[in-house]
Amino acid sequence: MTTVATPARYATVRGWVAASARSIAPHFPIETFIARNPVAGYETLDHEEAMRRIAHDHGVLLTPSEERFRALHTDGRIPLADLVAALHQLVPEARSPHPIVADEFVTTATEVLLQDLLVSPPRAATSTALPTPASGLSPRVHARVDDLTSRWLTALFGDAAWSTPTRGEGMWDAWRRLAALDPTLPRRVRAGIRSTPAEPAAAIDVALEHWGLEGDGAEEFIRAHILAQPGWSALVRHTAAESRSLDLVSLVAIRATLERLLLPAGATLPVGAPSTGRDEEARLSAVATALRADLTVPDVRAALGRILSLTDAYTRLSIWQEAYERRTARALAPASAPVLRTLEETPRPLAQAIFCIDTRSESFRRHLEAAGPVETLGFAGFFAVPISFRPADGAPGVASCPVLLTPRVAVSESSVERDALGRWRRHRTAIAERGRAAHALGESTLAPYAFAETAGWFFGAASVARTLAPRLWSSVRTGMRRAKPTTRVDADVVFSLDERVLYAETALRMMGLVDGFAPIVLVCGHGASVTNNPFASGLQCGACGGHEGEPNARAAATIFNDPATRDALAERGITIPDDTLFVAAQMDTVTDEVTLLEPWAIPASHEMRVLELTRHLETARQANAADRLAGLPGADRDGDAVRETLRRSSDWAEAFPEWGLMGNAAFIVGPRAITAGVDLGRRAFLHSYEAAADPDGTGLETILTAPLVVAQWINAQYAASTVAPDRFGAGPKPLHNVVGTTGVLSGFGGDLRIGLPWQSVGVGRHAHHEPVRLQVFVQAPLARINEIVDESEVVRNLVVNRWITLRAREHDTARWMRFGRYGWETDDLDTTPVTGMPVGDHETTTKENRS
Amino acid sequence: MSTSDLTPMTKIEVVVASDDVAEVSALMQSLGARGYTAITGVAGVGHHGHRGGRLLFNDHDTLTLLVSVVAPDKADGIISGIRPVLDRASGVMFVSPTAVSRPDYFA
């Protein structure tokens, strides 16, 4: 086969690369680590079909294995009733109550498919990713291509002080120039590199021509190379959006060229083994044996075959996953309130505290409400102010908003205490410079020896102190720091009045806080104090782009306290009383400490109330720290909980400073009253919402198209890192080898690790996180939700393609409805027996059918 | 100036998810487009039903209209490159003849 090499042909090759790139989501550098579904590109497909494609492309399952599900069924984690309910949910034909009679054999579709779930040969848990020619012809060459590519990319993205390989050239140009000089490559390969085309798409085309690939085969070849090392590809994909000198076309060209030149000249593509149909025969036989059916009777064989054709191995996994999630949904679904109840007038609370929807806020809110007369609300932690933030210390500005958004304005922090600010800034700069110098010395080739001779005594002693007494070390360091002068942020200046009013009204209506304001409204962002953790940004606020929520809390409080904004809000029907003060704060999710961010801005009129609130915050801290420690590995549960959290925060050897969002499973949109007082175990994102405060539904649309999307990204990443840790997880922390600011390797080389470290989802060999899809509960008019699902493709894809499960109800007295294949349907999470399903265990059922 | 004084060009309009804009625009430029215009938050009704416009807190999942004008001899390359992307993602492409007064801006 010969294709004509033209610009249009190269364009097609580039198009194939761009299309294939969707197989792996971009990887954000660890400095701004953002949780994201690594296979988000498959979300346009139904979840089951996506599982099939992902198994084909990536060689992994997107769910636990069938063996694991069966073990969970045996242990009682997946009750039979849930399994049958899931079967009926996904295979409507199984709902038929009519018996199937074949000769003397009597059964039902439910029974046959249930036995299929329980006894059929399971789908292999893992196989290999989409094969490249080399992986079939010579695994050694395939490994060599991986190794050479990995070394090249490590040099490109790392920050070695002694090497700058690209000199500003494009990736492909630099590789052609330098790889042709690589003495570790055979002379024939180097000569081949020298004669490669200057255009990387042309180099890919040479490889396609060499292997005789065209059309779908060509695209699959390119996808195989992209997915051979998905971590590096994901990073290049992210970087390519910002730098035109790095792109996936060059990466595929490098891999395809190395592979073509390293393999023997006459190598041809291996032929895949044809399917023998043995799997289906084994399946039929297993089910027949379980049902004690005689397969030698043609009618029986035909009947069983016909029923089994309704599903395949991936449908079974899909049913198991659905069954697995039902108990989680049952546990987290807000209960129905009684229709008849006494309505009592509640006194004005001391404070209302707005926390991020982050699952970690759930338990703190619960303990704070128990500690004193404080109402709590949930809202995305950027508090509706999409900003970039320029801190007072002169550090570069950061985008402090969800990655879904582009910052609208730059908010700056400044101080009128110019001298104090100058001294503090110089002090901060000096600390940063010292750190950079020490790092550069450590990375250079010879300087570390001299550095160790001269400064080793100090750093050695410091290391011993940090290891043996981390809290003391941290206290000493903190004590040596110069105090920060009082500062303010200029959000009330950089946002126009119209913008301030828009964002303030949006936030208040979205969370249903339009009246009944308390004297204090705490706007509480969150951050995490950790030491020696490359994934620290993964513990910060996701709604703030992987940064602390402090700037947004301060900006939002400034806007809410702005008199002009309040006047305009009053004209729009939201009257904030004159005695209501918005106070910015930040919660440390490792130590549970809540810090008021601008104590100097609190007027004397509110001092006593704030003092009382801080006492309640301290009580909540003690309770929440004890609550969280009960589930953390290696915790001293009998000691002082707060002291233990402080140690975890400052200990550079601590692999579990906190659990992050481990366990996340639900997203609940509704008034706090429907979840108040219920221990949800930090498993739910809680977004406050009152349909009555959002008459046109735009607030709900914003919730479902933004916070819900981010929550699903987080949920999908935790699940993927749990079920496929080798493919979509970052591996164990002790093996991490940091590459610049971009990511980690496991040990010396290999692929860049994407996803979460194992210590974010599991302990030892056991996963702690339950890989369930996000269970979404929305209390709002169903018609309003329908409109949003219809109009928003992102929400429609997630719901209709079953990447999330959406349940809704109009009022707290109603039962939850589920958005199913045919629209809204009743979803009895308590799972009562349905006609056509077996009663009791399947052994009993089998006997009944035989009699 | 009459239309006969203008230089014939080819206009390529692509509607894609905003998340795909960086990739598609890079592709267009790598294939010879000198520039493009991006109109964010477009709305309409099509094969997949109604598609909403701008979202308040999500720039990522809205639709963007990319418009590029190129010399006719470059159009085939760009069309060939974009088609595989549209095969895997939602989006539409319109190609039409147009004319410009400053051809050096586009060639």
mmCIF file of all heavy atoms in Angstrom, chain A residues 126-164:
data_model
loop_
_atom_site.group_PDB
_atom_site.id
_atom_site.type_symbol
_atom_site.label_atom_id
_atom_site.label_comp_id
_atom_site.label_asym_id
_atom_site.label_seq_id
_atom_site.Cartn_x
_atom_site.Cartn_y
_atom_site.Cartn_z
ATOM 1 N N THR A 126 -7.177 -7.677 34.306
ATOM 2 C CA THR A 126 -6.248 -6.814 33.574
ATOM 3 C C THR A 126 -5.670 -7.566 32.389
ATOM 4 O O THR A 126 -5.537 -8.777 32.409
ATOM 5 C CB THR A 126 -5.062 -6.365 34.451
ATOM 6 O OG1 THR A 126 -4.441 -7.532 34.961
ATOM 7 C CG2 THR A 126 -5.509 -5.469 35.577
ATOM 8 N N SER A 127 -5.371 -6.845 31.383
ATOM 9 C CA SER A 127 -4.596 -7.416 30.278
ATOM 10 C C SER A 127 -3.617 -6.323 29.881
ATOM 11 O O SER A 127 -3.186 -5.544 30.712
ATOM 12 C CB SER A 127 -5.527 -7.824 29.135
ATOM 13 O OG SER A 127 -6.278 -6.717 28.709
ATOM 14 N N THR A 128 -3.252 -6.237 28.648
ATOM 15 C CA THR A 128 -2.303 -5.196 28.260
ATOM 16 C C THR A 128 -3.042 -4.087 27.519
ATOM 17 O O THR A 128 -4.131 -4.278 27.008
ATOM 18 C CB THR A 128 -1.228 -5.780 27.327
ATOM 19 O OG1 THR A 128 -1.901 -6.440 26.256
ATOM 20 C CG2 THR A 128 -0.345 -6.776 28.070
ATOM 21 N N ALA A 129 -2.394 -2.924 27.497
ATOM 22 C CA ALA A 129 -2.974 -1.800 26.762
ATOM 23 C C ALA A 129 -2.900 -2.102 25.270
ATOM 24 O O ALA A 129 -2.276 -3.072 24.844
ATOM 25 C CB ALA A 129 -2.211 -0.541 27.105
ATOM 26 N N LEU A 130 -3.528 -1.251 24.508
ATOM 27 C CA LEU A 130 -3.535 -1.385 23.054
ATOM 28 C C LEU A 130 -2.103 -1.666 22.566
ATOM 29 O O LEU A 130 -1.189 -0.904 22.879
ATOM 30 C CB LEU A 130 -4.033 -0.058 22.475
ATOM 31 C CG LEU A 130 -4.613 -0.025 21.090
ATOM 32 C CD1 LEU A 130 -5.793 -0.972 20.962
ATOM 33 C CD2 LEU A 130 -5.051 1.392 20.774
ATOM 34 N N PRO A 131 -1.870 -2.763 21.826
ATOM 35 C CA PRO A 131 -0.473 -3.109 21.506
ATOM 36 C C PRO A 131 0.115 -2.246 20.395
ATOM 37 O O PRO A 131 -0.559 -1.928 19.411
ATOM 38 C CB PRO A 131 -0.579 -4.574 21.064
ATOM 39 C CG PRO A 131 -1.975 -4.737 20.570
ATOM 40 C CD PRO A 131 -2.826 -3.760 21.349
ATOM 41 N N THR A 132 1.352 -1.879 20.566
ATOM 42 C CA THR A 132 2.114 -1.261 19.479
ATOM 43 C C THR A 132 2.746 -2.419 18.698
ATOM 44 O O THR A 132 2.797 -3.545 19.207
ATOM 45 C CB THR A 132 3.226 -0.353 20.043
ATOM 46 O OG1 THR A 132 4.093 -1.174 20.839
ATOM 47 C CG2 THR A 132 2.655 0.764 20.893
ATOM 48 N N PRO A 133 3.238 -2.168 17.493
ATOM 49 C CA PRO A 133 3.901 -3.262 16.770
ATOM 50 C C PRO A 133 5.011 -3.904 17.598
ATOM 51 O O PRO A 133 5.144 -5.129 17.645
ATOM 52 C CB PRO A 133 4.451 -2.565 15.528
ATOM 53 C CG PRO A 133 3.495 -1.436 15.278
ATOM 54 C CD PRO A 133 3.099 -0.967 16.650
ATOM 55 N N ALA A 134 5.807 -3.082 18.296
ATOM 56 C CA ALA A 134 6.935 -3.628 19.043
ATOM 57 C C ALA A 134 6.477 -4.504 20.200
ATOM 58 O O ALA A 134 7.128 -5.501 20.531
ATOM 59 C CB ALA A 134 7.818 -2.493 19.558
ATOM 60 N N SER A 135 5.367 -4.155 20.842
ATOM 61 C CA SER A 135 4.943 -4.951 21.999
ATOM 62 C C SER A 135 4.563 -6.366 21.570
ATOM 63 O O SER A 135 4.666 -7.308 22.338
ATOM 64 C CB SER A 135 3.793 -4.276 22.745
ATOM 65 O OG SER A 135 2.670 -4.154 21.903
ATOM 66 N N GLY A 136 4.117 -6.531 20.301
ATOM 67 C CA GLY A 136 3.812 -7.870 19.816
ATOM 68 C C GLY A 136 5.037 -8.577 19.262
ATOM 69 O O GLY A 136 5.202 -9.771 19.434
ATOM 70 N N LEU A 137 5.927 -7.823 18.617
ATOM 71 C CA LEU A 137 7.069 -8.441 17.949
ATOM 72 C C LEU A 137 8.260 -8.659 18.878
ATOM 73 O O LEU A 137 8.941 -9.675 18.796
ATOM 74 C CB LEU A 137 7.522 -7.550 16.776
ATOM 75 C CG LEU A 137 6.562 -7.448 15.594
ATOM 76 C CD1 LEU A 137 6.980 -6.322 14.659
ATOM 77 C CD2 LEU A 137 6.524 -8.772 14.838
ATOM 78 N N SER A 138 8.505 -7.678 19.726
ATOM 79 C CA SER A 138 9.680 -7.765 20.594
ATOM 80 C C SER A 138 9.455 -6.908 21.845
ATOM 81 O O SER A 138 9.693 -5.701 21.831
ATOM 82 C CB SER A 138 10.930 -7.267 19.845
ATOM 83 O OG SER A 138 11.997 -7.098 20.754
ATOM 84 N N PRO A 139 8.996 -7.519 22.929
ATOM 85 C CA PRO A 139 8.774 -6.745 24.162
ATOM 86 C C PRO A 139 10.024 -5.990 24.614
ATOM 87 O O PRO A 139 9.929 -4.927 25.215
ATOM 88 C CB PRO A 139 8.373 -7.819 25.176
ATOM 89 C CG PRO A 139 7.778 -8.913 24.342
ATOM 90 C CD PRO A 139 8.559 -8.906 23.059
ATOM 91 N N ARG A 140 11.211 -6.562 24.276
ATOM 92 C CA ARG A 140 12.440 -5.890 24.678
ATOM 93 C C ARG A 140 12.568 -4.536 23.969
ATOM 94 O O ARG A 140 12.918 -3.528 24.575
ATOM 95 C CB ARG A 140 13.631 -6.787 24.329
ATOM 96 C CG ARG A 140 14.963 -6.350 24.922
ATOM 97 C CD ARG A 140 16.063 -7.299 24.506
ATOM 98 N NE ARG A 140 16.188 -7.384 23.050
ATOM 99 C CZ ARG A 140 16.813 -6.485 22.293
ATOM 100 N NH1 ARG A 140 17.380 -5.445 22.853
ATOM 101 N NH2 ARG A 140 16.881 -6.632 20.990
ATOM 102 N N VAL A 141 12.260 -4.526 22.681
ATOM 103 C CA VAL A 141 12.325 -3.256 21.918
ATOM 104 C C VAL A 141 11.246 -2.291 22.427
ATOM 105 O O VAL A 141 11.487 -1.090 22.573
ATOM 106 C CB VAL A 141 12.157 -3.530 20.404
ATOM 107 C CG1 VAL A 141 11.953 -2.221 19.635
ATOM 108 C CG2 VAL A 141 13.366 -4.275 19.877
ATOM 109 N N HIS A 142 10.084 -2.837 22.718
ATOM 110 C CA HIS A 142 9.006 -1.991 23.240
ATOM 111 C C HIS A 142 9.460 -1.306 24.535
ATOM 112 O O HIS A 142 9.277 -0.090 24.714
ATOM 113 C CB HIS A 142 7.763 -2.858 23.495
ATOM 114 C CG HIS A 142 6.598 -2.099 24.030
ATOM 115 N ND1 HIS A 142 5.901 -1.173 23.297
ATOM 116 C CD2 HIS A 142 6.012 -2.107 25.259
ATOM 117 C CE1 HIS A 142 4.941 -0.658 24.027
ATOM 118 N NE2 HIS A 142 4.994 -1.210 25.221
ATOM 119 N N ALA A 143 10.091 -2.085 25.420
ATOM 120 C CA ALA A 143 10.575 -1.524 26.692
ATOM 121 C C ALA A 143 11.667 -0.486 26.427
ATOM 122 O O ALA A 143 11.766 0.528 27.124
ATOM 123 C CB ALA A 143 11.095 -2.637 27.591
ATOM 124 N N ARG A 144 12.491 -0.740 25.420
ATOM 125 C CA ARG A 144 13.565 0.206 25.098
ATOM 126 C C ARG A 144 12.974 1.537 24.607
ATOM 127 O O ARG A 144 13.452 2.609 24.980
ATOM 128 C CB ARG A 144 14.454 -0.424 23.994
ATOM 129 C CG ARG A 144 15.696 0.381 23.659
ATOM 130 C CD ARG A 144 16.864 -0.020 24.546
ATOM 131 N NE ARG A 144 17.914 0.988 24.561
ATOM 132 C CZ ARG A 144 18.842 1.127 23.634
ATOM 133 N NH1 ARG A 144 18.866 0.298 22.604
ATOM 134 N NH2 ARG A 144 19.770 2.065 23.724
ATOM 135 N N VAL A 145 11.963 1.447 23.765
ATOM 136 C CA VAL A 145 11.315 2.674 23.265
ATOM 137 C C VAL A 145 10.729 3.454 24.451
ATOM 138 O O VAL A 145 10.900 4.671 24.561
ATOM 139 C CB VAL A 145 10.208 2.335 22.239
ATOM 140 C CG1 VAL A 145 9.417 3.587 21.864
ATOM 141 C CG2 VAL A 145 10.804 1.697 20.994
ATOM 142 N N ASP A 146 10.066 2.741 25.358
ATOM 143 C CA ASP A 146 9.510 3.400 26.550
ATOM 144 C C ASP A 146 10.606 4.074 27.353
ATOM 145 O O ASP A 146 10.471 5.223 27.790
ATOM 146 C CB ASP A 146 8.802 2.364 27.451
ATOM 147 C CG ASP A 146 7.424 1.992 26.930
ATOM 148 O OD1 ASP A 146 6.981 2.599 25.943
ATOM 149 O OD2 ASP A 146 6.803 1.088 27.514
ATOM 150 N N ASP A 147 11.695 3.344 27.551
ATOM 151 C CA ASP A 147 12.781 3.863 28.387
ATOM 152 C C ASP A 147 13.424 5.089 27.752
ATOM 153 O O ASP A 147 13.636 6.106 28.420
ATOM 154 C CB ASP A 147 13.822 2.749 28.591
ATOM 155 C CG ASP A 147 14.954 3.208 29.472
ATOM 156 O OD1 ASP A 147 14.654 3.736 30.568
ATOM 157 O OD2 ASP A 147 16.130 3.081 29.070
ATOM 158 N N LEU A 148 13.713 5.012 26.457
ATOM 159 C CA LEU A 148 14.347 6.150 25.778
ATOM 160 C C LEU A 148 13.428 7.372 25.786
ATOM 161 O O LEU A 148 13.868 8.505 26.014
ATOM 162 C CB LEU A 148 14.699 5.761 24.337
ATOM 163 C CG LEU A 148 15.871 4.783 24.188
ATOM 164 C CD1 LEU A 148 15.909 4.210 22.775
ATOM 165 C CD2 LEU A 148 17.192 5.482 24.510
ATOM 166 N N THR A 149 12.148 7.136 25.558
ATOM 167 C CA THR A 149 11.200 8.262 25.545
ATOM 168 C C THR A 149 11.089 8.872 26.937
ATOM 169 O O THR A 149 11.057 10.093 27.101
ATOM 170 C CB THR A 149 9.813 7.769 25.091
ATOM 171 O OG1 THR A 149 9.964 6.963 23.937
ATOM 172 C CG2 THR A 149 8.901 8.931 24.763
ATOM 173 N N SER A 150 11.037 8.008 27.933
ATOM 174 C CA SER A 150 10.907 8.494 29.308
ATOM 175 C C SER A 150 12.117 9.328 29.715
ATOM 176 O O SER A 150 11.990 10.390 30.322
ATOM 177 C CB SER A 150 10.738 7.294 30.240
ATOM 178 O OG SER A 150 10.635 7.717 31.555
ATOM 179 N N ARG A 151 13.316 8.853 29.362
ATOM 180 C CA ARG A 151 14.534 9.611 29.701
ATOM 181 C C ARG A 151 14.513 10.983 29.030
ATOM 182 O O ARG A 151 14.870 11.989 29.633
ATOM 183 C CB ARG A 151 15.775 8.855 29.227
ATOM 184 C CG ARG A 151 16.162 7.694 30.088
ATOM 185 C CD ARG A 151 17.186 6.849 29.351
ATOM 186 N NE ARG A 151 17.418 5.603 30.034
ATOM 187 C CZ ARG A 151 18.446 5.398 30.850
ATOM 188 N NH1 ARG A 151 19.308 6.345 31.068
ATOM 189 N NH2 ARG A 151 18.590 4.240 31.451
ATOM 190 N N TRP A 152 14.104 10.978 27.783
ATOM 191 C CA TRP A 152 14.066 12.227 27.034
ATOM 192 C C TRP A 152 13.084 13.214 27.670
ATOM 193 O O TRP A 152 13.401 14.383 27.885
ATOM 194 C CB TRP A 152 13.674 11.922 25.583
ATOM 195 C CG TRP A 152 13.397 13.144 24.777
ATOM 196 C CD1 TRP A 152 12.193 13.626 24.404
ATOM 197 C CD2 TRP A 152 14.355 14.051 24.264
ATOM 198 N NE1 TRP A 152 12.327 14.778 23.698
ATOM 199 C CE2 TRP A 152 13.658 15.072 23.587
ATOM 200 C CE3 TRP A 152 15.752 14.112 24.308
ATOM 201 C CZ2 TRP A 152 14.297 16.130 22.959
ATOM 202 C CZ3 TRP A 152 16.372 15.174 23.686
ATOM 203 C CH2 TRP A 152 15.661 16.161 23.019
ATOM 204 N N LEU A 153 11.916 12.722 28.030
ATOM 205 C CA LEU A 153 10.900 13.612 28.598
ATOM 206 C C LEU A 153 11.271 14.055 30.012
ATOM 207 O O LEU A 153 10.967 15.175 30.419
ATOM 208 C CB LEU A 153 9.537 12.922 28.581
ATOM 209 C CG LEU A 153 8.961 12.747 27.172
ATOM 210 C CD1 LEU A 153 7.798 11.776 27.171
ATOM 211 C CD2 LEU A 153 8.511 14.092 26.608
ATOM 212 N N THR A 154 11.941 13.168 30.772
ATOM 213 C CA THR A 154 12.397 13.559 32.107
ATOM 214 C C THR A 154 13.371 14.720 32.002
ATOM 215 O O THR A 154 13.310 15.686 32.771
ATOM 216 C CB THR A 154 13.062 12.369 32.820
ATOM 217 O OG1 THR A 154 12.165 11.278 32.815
ATOM 218 C CG2 THR A 154 13.424 12.712 34.244
ATOM 219 N N ALA A 155 14.288 14.633 31.018
ATOM 220 C CA ALA A 155 15.248 15.729 30.831
ATOM 221 C C ALA A 155 14.532 17.010 30.391
ATOM 222 O O ALA A 155 14.878 18.106 30.817
ATOM 223 C CB ALA A 155 16.274 15.323 29.783
ATOM 224 N N LEU A 156 13.497 16.828 29.598
ATOM 225 C CA LEU A 156 12.770 17.985 29.067
ATOM 226 C C LEU A 156 11.965 18.706 30.146
ATOM 227 O O LEU A 156 11.945 19.928 30.236
ATOM 228 C CB LEU A 156 11.825 17.486 27.971
ATOM 229 C CG LEU A 156 11.396 18.448 26.901
ATOM 230 C CD1 LEU A 156 12.584 18.927 26.096
ATOM 231 C CD2 LEU A 156 10.407 17.746 25.961
ATOM 232 N N PHE A 157 11.300 17.915 30.993
ATOM 233 C CA PHE A 157 10.410 18.517 31.983
ATOM 234 C C PHE A 157 11.060 18.679 33.356
ATOM 235 O O PHE A 157 10.541 19.397 34.198
ATOM 236 C CB PHE A 157 9.143 17.661 32.154
ATOM 237 C CG PHE A 157 8.205 17.790 30.995
ATOM 238 C CD1 PHE A 157 8.106 16.793 30.041
ATOM 239 C CD2 PHE A 157 7.416 18.912 30.845
ATOM 240 C CE1 PHE A 157 7.235 16.902 28.964
ATOM 241 C CE2 PHE A 157 6.542 19.042 29.779
ATOM 242 C CZ PHE A 157 6.459 18.033 28.839
ATOM 243 N N GLY A 158 12.180 17.973 33.602
ATOM 244 C CA GLY A 158 12.832 18.093 34.897
ATOM 245 C C GLY A 158 13.534 19.434 34.991
ATOM 246 O O GLY A 158 13.535 20.228 34.056
ATOM 247 N N ASP A 159 14.158 19.662 36.166
ATOM 248 C CA ASP A 159 14.851 20.949 36.313
ATOM 249 C C ASP A 159 16.309 20.733 36.669
ATOM 250 O O ASP A 159 16.858 21.391 37.536
ATOM 251 C CB ASP A 159 14.141 21.812 37.367
ATOM 252 C CG ASP A 159 14.044 21.118 38.697
ATOM 253 O OD1 ASP A 159 14.451 19.941 38.766
ATOM 254 O OD2 ASP A 159 13.576 21.748 39.661
ATOM 255 N N ALA A 160 16.934 19.755 35.986
ATOM 256 C CA ALA A 160 18.349 19.507 36.252
ATOM 257 C C ALA A 160 19.163 20.767 35.952
ATOM 258 O O ALA A 160 18.960 21.418 34.937
ATOM 259 C CB ALA A 160 18.831 18.352 35.380
ATOM 260 N N ALA A 161 20.055 21.090 36.902
ATOM 261 C CA ALA A 161 20.802 22.341 36.766
ATOM 262 C C ALA A 161 21.846 22.263 35.656
ATOM 263 O O ALA A 161 22.358 23.275 35.217
ATOM 264 C CB ALA A 161 21.476 22.665 38.093
ATOM 265 N N TRP A 162 22.159 21.050 35.197
ATOM 266 C CA TRP A 162 23.267 20.889 34.259
ATOM 267 C C TRP A 162 22.825 20.650 32.823
ATOM 268 O O TRP A 162 23.630 20.427 31.953
ATOM 269 C CB TRP A 162 24.134 19.715 34.716
ATOM 270 C CG TRP A 162 23.320 18.517 35.091
ATOM 271 C CD1 TRP A 162 22.808 18.233 36.323
ATOM 272 C CD2 TRP A 162 22.868 17.474 34.221
ATOM 273 N NE1 TRP A 162 22.084 17.080 36.284
ATOM 274 C CE2 TRP A 162 22.117 16.585 35.005
ATOM 275 C CE3 TRP A 162 23.042 17.204 32.869
ATOM 276 C CZ2 TRP A 162 21.514 15.455 34.478
ATOM 277 C CZ3 TRP A 162 22.458 16.061 32.348
ATOM 278 C CH2 TRP A 162 21.709 15.211 33.151
ATOM 279 N N SER A 163 21.537 20.657 32.561
ATOM 280 C CA SER A 163 21.124 20.299 31.210
ATOM 281 C C SER A 163 19.901 21.086 30.780
ATOM 282 O O SER A 163 18.912 21.151 31.487
ATOM 283 C CB SER A 163 20.805 18.803 31.177
ATOM 284 O OG SER A 163 20.239 18.449 29.943
ATOM 285 N N THR A 164 19.976 21.689 29.621
ATOM 286 C CA THR A 164 18.796 22.314 29.014
ATOM 287 C C THR A 164 18.736 21.820 27.577
ATOM 288 O O THR A 164 19.253 22.471 26.664
ATOM 289 C CB THR A 164 18.894 23.848 29.037
ATOM 290 O OG1 THR A 164 20.179 24.210 28.522
ATOM 291 C CG2 THR A 164 18.743 24.402 30.430
#
